[in-house]
Amino acid sequence: NWALDELYALIVLTQAIGRDPLNTPGSFAGALGPAQFIPTSFINYGIDGNNDNKKDPFDMQDAMASIANYLHCAGWTQDADITEKRKAVWAYNHSRVYVNTILMLCDRCTAP
């Protein structure tokens, strides 16, 4: 059922952005674009980051806005404590190394 849901979402998504679903690049798990969203996640959290009236997982501005939306929906706020931020990033990627790396980069980017 998971694979059928993802395949259906891929077809819906590729139709919306004008791509051929059979020639759309993705990972072995079906993740798309620079943010590596699976189709259902992008349909649920995708944002039109460049105001071109399309939500395209292959467009970097859309991908970045969609990551921000996903993290926000998972509980990330700038003033959240580290535990809440960790949970939000974990929701996006279930890897401790990934979570630690993102939080380290966040600290570096927000340090005075």
Side-chain angles (χ1 to χ4, degrees):
N1 286 339
W2 176 85
L4 286 175
D5 289 344
E6 293 305 324
L7 182 57
Y8 177 76
L10 175 66
I11 292 167
V12 169
L13 179 59
T14 54
Q15 284 180 339
I17 62 174
R19 281 186 178 256
D20 177 355
L22 298 177
N23 291 316
T24 298
S27 75
F28 73 93
L32 306 170
Q36 291 292 279
F37 275 101
I38 60 171
T40 55
S41 289
F42 193 80
I43 286 173
N44 290 329
Y45 299 100
I47 296 289
D48 179 9
N50 59 3
N51 298 315
D52 67 352
N53 297 315
K54 281 195 308 188
K55 298 175 187 176
D56 185 344
F58 297 96
D59 181 276
M60 185 59 82
Q61 291 174 312
D62 292 356
M64 297 304 291
S66 300
I67 291 170
N69 185 46
Y70 188 102
L71 291 174
H72 174 75
C73 290
W76 180 287
T77 61
Q78 204 53 32
D79 59 344
D81 66 29
I82 191 69
T83 302
E84 292 304 310
K85 289 180 178 181
R86 184 172 293 284
K87 285 179 188 177
V89 178
W90 180 263
Y92 184 76
N93 186 314
H94 291 9
S95 163
R96 286 188 190 135
V97 172
Y98 182 87
V99 171
N100 291 339
T101 301
I102 295 302
L103 293 174
M104 178 191 67
L105 291 170
C106 182
D107 283 345
R108 287 185 183 177
C109 291
T110 58

